[in-house]
Amino acid sequence: MPPPLKRSGLQNEVVNFYRQCFRAAREKPAETRPRFHAFIRKEFKEHNIRKADFATIEYMLRKGRKQFETYTQKGVKDIHV
């Protein structure tokens, strides 16, 4: 079995942010969690960005973090995909 590939710092940031989004979804009501999960997956898969396009990846991370702040507020109970 070949050794696992090493991720770059930016790749680790994206993976950690993805996980953070799913952890935050656990705080939402149980009946709306599947919609939050679907939204998170859609947002990450929607953009077909090349691994070497660092500027775009960094921009999308900043944009995603702003959305994350909005959706993790206590008043947000549901999301529509």
Side-chain angles (χ1 to χ4, degrees):
M1 178 183 234
L5 296 175
K6 290 219 173 209
R7 291 186 186 133
S8 72
L10 193 56
Q11 287 172 324
N12 281 328
E13 252 186 274
V14 171
V15 170
N16 289 335
F17 181 55
Y18 186 77
R19 290 176 180 157
Q20 182 182 13
C21 291
F22 275 94
R23 283 192 297 272
R26 290 185 206 148
E27 302 298 318
K28 300 302 178 183
E31 61 273 1
T32 63
R33 282 183 210 153
R35 286 190 287 278
F36 277 96
H37 293 166
F39 177 77
I40 294 165
R41 286 185 189 102
K42 180 182 85 60
E43 286 296 309
F44 274 85
K45 288 182 181 181
E46 184 174 272
H47 307 284
N48 189 13
I49 302 170
R50 293 176 302 117
K51 289 180 186 179
D53 193 353
F54 302 116
T56 303
I57 294 168
E58 289 171 348
Y59 165 76
M60 294 305 295
L61 272 172
R62 284 192 306 274
K63 180 181 168 193
R65 287 187 178 121
K66 286 180 184 177
Q67 276 187 317
F68 179 78
E69 288 176 17
T70 300
Y71 293 127
T72 55
Q73 293 177 359
K74 295 287 183 191
V76 178
K77 301 289 183 201
D78 198 0
I79 194 166
H80 296 282
V81 183

